[in-house]
Amino acid sequence: MSSLHVLTQPESPARHLRAVPSQQARLSIKEAFDRLQKSVTKEDEREFFSTELEDVFATARDVERQLAARGELRNMRRIQPFFDWLLQYSKEMEILCNGTPYLPWVWAPIRLILHLASDFTNAIEKLIKAYGQIADCLPRLDRLKATFSANQDFQQVLAAVYADILLFHERAYKFVRRKGWKLFFCSSWTVFQSHFQTILDSIARHADLIDREAMALHISEARLWRQSAMDRALRLEQENLIAHSQAVMSWLKTSDVLQQDELDNQFEKGSPGTCEWVIRHSQMKKWIQPSQETEILWLKGKPGSGKTVLCANTIRFLKIGGSATVIYYFCNNYRMGYLNGLASVLQSLCSQLLEAEKALYSIAYEQYISKEKSSSIQNLSLLLHTLISTFDNVRIIIDGLDEWDSSHAQRMVKELRLIISKKEKNTFHKLLISSRELPHLNRTFAMKPVISLSDEREAIDSAIRSFADSSVSEIFKTLKDDSNTALDDRVQHDIQSDLVRKADGMFLWVRLVLGILERADSLHSLKLAVASFPRELGDVYGRILEDMRSCLAPAEYEKALRVLAWITFAKRPLRTYELQHGVTLHAGNTRFDHETRPLRNVYDICRPLIENGPHQTVVLIHSSVKEFLLEVMNPPVLNAITAQGLILFSCTVYLVKGYDLVDPAVPDLIHMQNLTERFHSLHHYCRAFWHEHLFDYATLTPDLVQDRSSTLALQLRLLCDVHRRVSEAQPFLEQLSDRSLTNDKLEQKLALLADMHYLHRIVREVLISRERSNEQRLSVQGANPAEDLSLYNRMHLKYEDVAHNLLRADLVDGLSPESLKVFKDCFAPSAFVCSYSGCNNASMGFGSQQELSKHEIVHGPRFRCQNVSCDYSVIGFSTAHALKQHNRKYHAPQDKIFVPESLRQHDEFVESTNAQQSAPAAAAPPTARYTTFANSDLAIFDALKNFDFDSFLHTDDPSGAFTFDNMNFNVFPKR
């Protein structure tokens, strides 16, 4: 086995005689040193300061012996030239580094990097190769004149080489010091290649300046080139990171906005001083601390006891403190039930970790996207494990696990327990679960640390008292102001005390009572409300509904039930204007115009069972309300068939009206007036979910319309008649009803409509249009909605065209400025909807085209060209294979092959003239350090193996060209 050895060379005593160090060179060295110093730990910093060059040689020999013992010997002699050069370089740098700690840092990181990578063959191979490549580019210091080494221009070049080497050390150090670095070293190294090539080019350019003993002008040009090249490399890296992040988010199918919204919403519910106690709890302290104690913590409590708000405050505390990376998921079925599922949880957790450390996007891209792996639960779990392994201290918080059935809940816990259990030394990942106390959860968390809110009555009562005091004070202040009467403070104190006593640890109970107290108009009604209010949540809900029934007129009570039905059975949280429109349309009213449009909101009659949610939505106050409405009472308050029927009825009535959008006889001014008057408030919701409510109703009632004379049957037939009439009036419209769906499950659902032939045709057309739009979005050409000539799509395009024109307009003839302003205030926050069918934002919308474009990247092709000047950097490809073919055809890089040592000593280099036909001409290489051959011309290199380069380079042939084996070559002078 050949081994590494150390060369020694006597130093000329006159070399540094009367040499004056360059201040510019010292400044460059200091900047490079400071940057690397910021990247290393204090322990490694101390180690670097004390590392001698001989220590590096010794470590390299140890690594070589270890590799040999494992039978994995890598040609370690490839780094021998680098070590030899460092020995000479240390002597040349003495003049610049005298009295500073800078010099050891040019070699000390090598020792640590080789040591850490020694047991990972792939890493040690790539690092040895990289050091060998650096050595090939380094200047020949042994041939320098003694007088030239004292030249300050020369010192600036030496400083630039120092900066380049330290830049490589910085990146290599970060690779091997990252937690779990072996899992993704190869991926990280691939991403680093373009930047590494820039470092090599910079070293080679400065080496060329030394070889030619260049003057100050050339050195200044080289400095400018280096700065430009490094900026370009960083910019390219950033562009690659953005492209990778977009592809990964598309693969994950999530942007996690809803989870952030839920966190903000729940955090705002907590009153000041009501949640701090849980952070001070002994079990919570152990869970937060970076230790092996309390890896899993269960926060349990009865419904409405404030578990979600406590979780939100804990998340905020951890985020602000920065002691741990926190990721979370709120499993709220009554708000986001359409998103709940193991896949959704894993997608969200992965997304949060990627946002916490954006460099991980490239790793996820290389390991999953480029290999075209599916975003299955198995792969999502593997990705989450990989990502977590790169962090030292992760806290996972899952709230509302009881919202899931027992099998899904147990699978979720099992998955997360497995993830936090697989960790390295000095790594502390922990899990907190918040839920109600249910039998299957009791078994799951048996013998695990618990914070039971039932056992923390003193802290809970204190928090409730703080919340009740501030809320009751506001109510009394309002009563005083409205009545202009002084009120007895003792009454206020008694009510506050009664609230705390009767709440039995339930914040929700207090909120419900406060909702009733806000309507009270006398001291007697205030006292009576608190005294007579039931103590159990189910009884409270029943009492509220009974009060509604007794206080409201029958028509108003029916309206209240329609409000609850819409909120409970809607496919997503409803915006206020959608709820207004939907509730107004029912069997007794099929008009939504100036006369029937409500002048005040229709949903306040259901308070305190409902509340305002984020983004202009209205939601149930708690998940237990939904349970009560559907399950507790016998018969239930809301009947599923009746509720689905009334929602389907409202949506169908609107769609009949919506066909006016594609009626050529209706002028644009009428469309604009209808939009500003909010007559199309249900457009986005119906477009996204009408067919789903139709399927739901058909599933519940196999004979879709048993009574052919029912109001629903009449509206469905009217819809068919209008669709037929509009279609016949516009023969250019594309007919999609004769096509087949690729989704078999949808075909099965369509079979439920077999007895209603024309309705079956309409729904098939809707589904095919949605399916085709999604397929086009993933194609190379991308989606173009204007090419879809179906009636379903034309309605939506017309709506968007009119709506967006109104949003851009300052004044519109025929519309009052007031109505235009009201329209913008109401609809602008959600006017731009995602065109990808099935996306949650396909009906919720965004406030601007920029926000929408950023979101829609999630649904686009995941594989984009990395060349920003290429059109396909925007268009992208749907498969990695298509992107690889594109790169081979148009962007294949030239392979750089370093020439033999004999050629490196001369002033010329040889370049093949057989350029690739499909790629644009490349710029001339920055230095004359290597020969470049195209991929297709490697045969030329084989032919040159036996060519006598020395003889050729000493010829006086003035032509600058030669022929060898019938191959023509040009000789270019070195720049």
Side-chain angles (χ1 to χ4, degrees):
M1 178 185 70
S2 59
S3 60
L4 295 161
H5 61 280
V6 183
L7 294 177
T8 58
Q9 180 175 341
E11 181 180 4
S12 171
R15 177 172 289 275
H16 303 306
L17 187 62
R18 294 186 301 277
V20 179
S22 163
Q23 293 306 310
Q24 179 62 45
R26 276 201 166 185
L27 180 61
S28 298
I29 292 172
K30 183 180 185 303
E31 289 175 351
F33 171 83
D34 290 343
R35 173 170 172 164
L36 178 56
Q37 188 180 33
K38 291 178 182 177
S39 302
V40 305
T41 65
K42 291 298 181 182
E43 182 180 353
D44 290 339
E45 182 180 335
R46 291 190 294 270
E47 186 73 20
F48 287 177
F49 281 133
S50 61
T51 299
E52 300 289 341
L53 193 52
E54 175 57 38
D55 298 330
V56 182
F57 299 149
T59 298
R61 286 192 292 266
D62 288 343
V63 171
E64 186 177 38
R65 284 192 289 269
Q66 292 176 33
L67 293 172
R70 297 202 305 264
E72 297 175 351
L73 190 62
R74 324 310 291 175
N75 184 8
M76 291 288 288
R77 293 196 64 190
R78 284 176 289 176
I79 59 175
Q80 181 68 54
F82 189 34
F83 289 165
D84 296 342
W85 183 88
L86 285 174
L87 184 65
Q88 180 65 31
Y89 183 70
S90 65
K91 303 181 186 302
E92 300 293 341
M93 287 290 286
E94 284 180 3
I95 193 173
L96 289 173
C97 297
N98 188 31
T100 72
Y102 305 147
L103 187 56
W105 287 58
V106 79
W107 59 68
I110 304 173
R111 182 188 186 195
L112 175 68
I113 292 167
L114 290 178
H115 172 71
L116 293 176
S118 61
D119 61 345
F120 186 36
T121 307
N122 282 340
I124 202 70
E125 169 62 28
K126 292 183 184 298
L127 289 167
I128 292 171
K129 182 180 179 182
Y131 285 125
Q133 288 177 289
I134 291 174
D136 284 335
C137 295
L138 291 168
R140 295 289 302 272
L141 301 177
D142 56 335
R143 297 186 296 109
L144 290 173
K145 299 175 183 176
T147 56
F148 189 62
S149 63
N151 182 289
Q152 292 201 353
D153 292 332
F154 165 75
Q155 293 172 8
Q156 290 186 40
V157 178
L158 285 182
V161 174
Y162 177 94
D164 288 333
I165 294 174
L166 259 64
L167 182 57
F168 175 79
H169 286 337
E170 178 190 346
R171 297 302 292 268
Y173 176 87
K174 288 180 178 178
F175 286 149
V176 299
R177 270 304 188 201
R178 187 189 296 274
K179 207 70 172 177
W181 66 274
K182 295 177 185 178
L183 292 172
F184 50 81
F185 176 85
C186 294
S187 301
S188 301
W189 194 264
T190 299
V191 175
F192 175 57
Q193 280 302 299
S194 62
H195 203 147
F196 178 51
Q197 187 58 53
T198 302
I199 295 174
L200 290 178
D201 291 343
S202 178
I203 294 174
R205 180 176 283 262
H206 288 98
D208 182 55
L209 293 175
I210 293 176
D211 283 354
R212 290 191 290 131
E213 300 185 2
M215 303 304 293
L217 175 63
H218 302 104
I219 293 171
S220 177
E221 290 175 349
R223 186 185 305 115
L224 293 174
W225 176 90
R226 181 183 185 275
Q227 185 60 51
S228 175
M230 292 301 176
D231 290 344
R232 188 166 56 251
L234 288 173
R235 187 167 60 252
L236 180 60
E237 242 183 324
Q238 186 62 32
E239 289 166 352
N240 287 343
L241 179 60
I242 292 173
H244 289 167
S245 67
Q246 293 171 349
V248 172
M249 294 309 290
S250 174
W251 185 78
L252 288 173
K253 303 183 181 72
T254 182
S255 59
D256 219 42
V257 174
L258 291 175
Q259 285 296 318
Q260 181 62 51
D261 288 344
E262 185 66 11
L263 172 63
D264 295 340
N265 182 60
Q266 294 297 336
F267 180 76
E268 290 171 2
K269 288 182 179 180
S271 298
T274 59
C275 300
E276 285 77 359
W277 69 268
V278 76
I279 302 298
R280 297 191 296 267
H281 194 283
S282 59
Q283 292 289 5
M284 184 64 77
K285 284 183 177 180
K286 294 177 183 178
W287 182 79
I288 291 175
Q289 290 171 354
S291 66
Q292 300 295 345
E293 284 188 288
T294 316
E295 289 190 343
I296 297 178
L297 178 62
W298 185 20
L299 176 65
K300 66 178 182 178
K302 64 180 70 174
S305 56
K307 300 182 296 296
T308 301
V309 175
L310 289 173
C311 285
N313 276 267
T314 303
I315 293 167
R316 282 293 181 92
F317 173 81
L318 291 170
K319 282 179 173 287
I320 294 173
S323 59
T325 301
V326 58
I327 55 179
Y328 57 91
Y329 195 89
F330 294 98
C331 308
N332 290 338
N333 276 331
Y334 67 109
R335 294 178 188 270
M336 300 179 296
Y338 56 95
L339 288 179
N340 277 351
L342 181 55
S344 296
V345 176
L346 296 175
Q347 288 165 353
S348 178
L349 298 182
C350 287
S351 171
Q352 293 174 58
L353 286 175
L354 289 165
E355 279 299 299
E357 182 55 69
K358 295 184 184 298
L360 297 176
Y361 275 117
S362 296
I363 294 159
Y365 181 89
E366 290 293 333
Q367 292 193 358
Y368 292 88
I369 315 302
S370 64
K371 296 177 181 178
E372 299 191 57
K373 294 182 179 179
S374 67
S375 54
S376 63
I377 289 179
Q378 180 181 5
N379 284 334
L380 289 170
S381 178
L382 290 172
L383 174 59
L384 181 59
H385 172 67
T386 301
L387 296 176
I388 282 185
S389 68
T390 67
F391 292 84
D392 291 325
N393 208 13
V394 175
R395 298 294 177 271
I396 305 174
I397 297 179
I398 306 295
D399 173 69
L401 192 66
D402 51 289
E403 303 277 340
W404 293 5
D405 61 48
S406 60
S407 60
H408 284 88
Q410 289 173 350
R411 184 180 181 188
M412 180 76 251
V413 173
K414 180 180 178 181
E415 193 70 40
L416 294 176
R417 289 174 73 169
L418 184 63
I419 288 172
I420 67 170
S421 65
K422 294 181 178 179
K423 56 191 177 185
E424 298 180 7
K425 186 179 179 182
N426 297 325
T427 299
F428 310 103
H429 304 323
K430 301 184 180 183
L431 172 65
L432 184 149
I433 297 291
S434 167
S435 73
R436 284 181 279 181
E437 187 173 3
L438 298 175
H440 68 276
L441 295 178
N442 281 333
R443 292 191 297 270
T444 300
F445 297 110
M447 308 303 293
K448 296 295 181 184
V450 174
I451 297 179
S452 175
L453 298 187
S454 300
D455 298 335
E456 305 295 333
R457 287 300 300 273
E458 183 178 348
I460 296 292
D461 286 350
S462 175
I464 289 178
R465 183 176 295 105
S466 175
F467 173 58
D469 288 354
S470 60
S471 300
V472 173
S473 296
E474 286 294 321
I475 292 174
F476 268 73
K477 182 178 183 301
T478 302
L479 287 173
K480 289 178 183 178
D481 294 342
D482 292 346
S483 63
N484 197 25
T485 303
L487 300 178
D488 190 345
D489 291 340
R490 288 178 298 178
V491 176
Q492 177 179 335
H493 180 269
D494 290 343
I495 289 176
Q496 292 168 339
S497 299
D498 286 345
L499 284 175
V500 175
R501 178 175 53 81
K502 296 186 68 175
D504 194 26
M506 290 185 289
F507 276 88
L508 178 59
W509 186 90
V510 177
R511 291 180 63 198
L512 292 168
V513 177
L514 290 171
I516 300 298
L517 295 182
E518 288 174 354
R519 303 177 186 176
D521 54 8
S522 66
L523 292 178
H524 174 71
S525 60
L526 284 171
K527 295 177 181 178
L528 183 62
V530 176
S532 62
F533 221 62
R535 303 185 70 163
E536 295 295 328
L537 277 181
D539 296 334
V540 170
Y541 298 146
R543 167 70 178 276
I544 292 172
L545 285 172
E546 186 58 38
D547 288 347
M548 286 184 190
R549 186 193 300 272
S550 60
C551 296
L552 298 174
E556 288 294 294
Y557 181 70
E558 288 298 320
K559 183 190 295 182
L561 292 182
R562 290 200 302 274
V563 170
L564 295 174
W566 264 95
I567 296 175
T568 303
F569 286 91
K571 298 298 181 181
R572 58 144 173 87
L574 294 164
R575 297 187 184 276
T576 54
Y577 54 80
E578 293 172 331
L579 185 59
Q580 294 266 90
H581 196 155
V583 170
T584 302
L585 299 175
H586 54 90
N589 174 57
T590 59
R591 295 167 48 207
F592 192 83
D593 51 27
H594 293 92
E595 293 186 4
T596 61
R597 185 185 66 195
L599 299 178
R600 56 181 176 81
N601 72 60
V602 298
Y603 48 83
D604 272 351
I605 55 178
C606 293
R607 296 187 189 275
L609 297 179
I610 62 173
E611 64 179 353
N612 293 328
H615 306 299
Q616 299 177 294
T617 59
V618 182
V619 296
L620 297 175
I621 195 170
H622 194 262
S623 59
S624 56
V625 177
K626 183 175 181 179
E627 294 175 5
F628 173 82
L629 294 174
L630 299 180
E631 300 172 6
V632 174
M633 302 291 286
N634 189 17
V637 176
L638 295 180
N639 177 275
I641 296 177
T642 304
Q644 288 287 2
L646 72 87
I647 294 176
L648 175 60
F649 180 88
S650 299
C651 291
T652 305
V653 171
Y654 167 74
L655 285 177
V656 172
K657 172 69 176 176
Y659 280 108
D660 288 350
L661 289 167
V662 288
D663 188 342
V666 180
D668 280 350
L669 179 59
I670 299 299
H671 293 318
M672 288 188 286
Q673 290 174 343
N674 287 340
L675 259 70
T676 55
E677 295 293 341
R678 288 167 281 173
F679 296 162
H680 288 284
S681 301
L682 270 180
H683 172 81
H684 287 315
Y685 186 86
C686 290
R687 178 176 180 265
F689 302 116
W690 168 74
H691 64 283
E692 291 193 23
H693 286 294
L694 179 60
F695 287 147
D696 289 345
Y697 187 76
T699 302
L700 293 170
T701 57
D703 187 356
L704 182 60
V705 282
Q706 299 175 1
D707 182 0
R708 299 291 173 173
S709 63
S710 69
T711 54
L712 177 58
L714 292 174
Q715 283 300 317
L716 289 173
R717 283 203 296 273
L718 179 58
L719 176 71
C720 294
D721 292 341
V722 173
H723 186 281
R724 184 184 293 108
R725 174 175 57 80
V726 175
S727 298
E728 291 172 353
Q730 302 182 59
F732 63 87
L733 291 173
E734 187 176 5
Q735 302 300 319
L736 303 178
S737 57
D738 57 342
R739 301 189 182 187
S740 298
L741 290 164
T742 59
N743 190 322
D744 292 337
K745 291 184 178 179
L746 289 179
E747 285 286 3
Q748 294 173 8
K749 289 184 177 181
L750 268 174
L752 296 170
L753 310 178
D755 292 340
M756 303 186 69
H757 301 296
Y758 202 84
L759 183 62
H760 182 281
R761 173 182 174 178
I762 293 174
V763 177
R764 178 178 289 279
E765 182 179 298
V766 168
L767 296 176
I768 290 174
S769 180
R770 291 163 60 89
E771 193 175 79
R772 186 169 65 174
S773 173
N774 291 350
E775 290 173 354
Q776 289 175 345
R777 178 164 293 281
L778 293 174
S779 70
V780 172
Q781 290 78 20
N784 183 4
E787 294 179 358
D788 186 345
L789 298 178
S790 66
L791 187 59
Y792 165 79
N793 189 58
R794 285 294 165 187
M795 289 173 62
H796 177 61
L797 289 178
K798 185 63 178 180
Y799 173 89
E800 287 206 319
D801 180 54
V802 176
H804 293 172
N805 283 334
L806 287 171
L807 291 173
R808 288 191 294 266
D810 295 323
L811 290 173
V812 178
D813 292 339
L815 297 179
S816 68
E818 292 77 13
S819 63
L820 184 60
K821 181 179 184 303
V822 170
F823 170 79
K824 290 182 178 181
D825 292 343
C826 184
F827 292 95
S830 58
F832 298 87
V833 299
C834 178
S835 59
Y836 191 87
S837 301
C839 172
N840 304 315
N841 290 289
S843 59
M844 285 296 283
F846 295 90
S848 68
Q849 182 61 52
Q850 291 76 12
E851 292 179 60
L852 173 62
S853 299
K854 182 179 179 181
H855 161 79
E856 285 192 327
I857 290 172
V858 171
H859 305 300
R862 295 194 293 265
F863 305 94
R864 291 178 170 82
C865 179
Q866 303 302 304
N867 188 326
V868 293
S869 63
C870 176
D871 290 340
Y872 286 89
S873 65
V874 178
I875 299 172
F877 298 89
S878 57
T879 66
H881 180 69
L883 174 61
K884 289 177 182 177
Q885 284 187 319
H886 167 80
N887 284 334
R888 279 199 296 266
K889 185 174 182 180
Y890 297 105
H891 307 299
Q894 292 185 327
D895 291 335
K896 294 180 178 178
I897 305 173
F898 292 93
V899 301
E901 181 69 20
S902 59
L903 183 60
R904 290 183 61 219
Q905 296 176 5
H906 296 278
D907 289 342
E908 293 84 22
F909 70 97
V910 183
E911 181 173 16
S912 168
T913 58
N914 295 327
Q916 295 184 24
Q917 298 301 316
S918 58
T927 64
R929 309 305 299 174
Y930 43 74
T931 301
T932 304
F933 294 102
N935 287 335
S936 59
D937 296 331
L938 291 180
I940 299 173
F941 181 69
D942 292 333
L944 291 174
K945 284 182 178 178
N946 298 319
F947 184 72
D948 188 351
F949 282 94
D950 287 332
S951 298
F952 166 73
L953 290 171
H954 286 88
T955 185
D956 294 327
D957 180 10
S959 67
F962 72 96
T963 301
F964 179 74
D965 281 3
N966 297 321
M967 299 178 186
N968 294 322
F969 294 85
N970 291 325
V971 180
F972 299 94
K974 185 169 60 176
R975 297 189 179 188

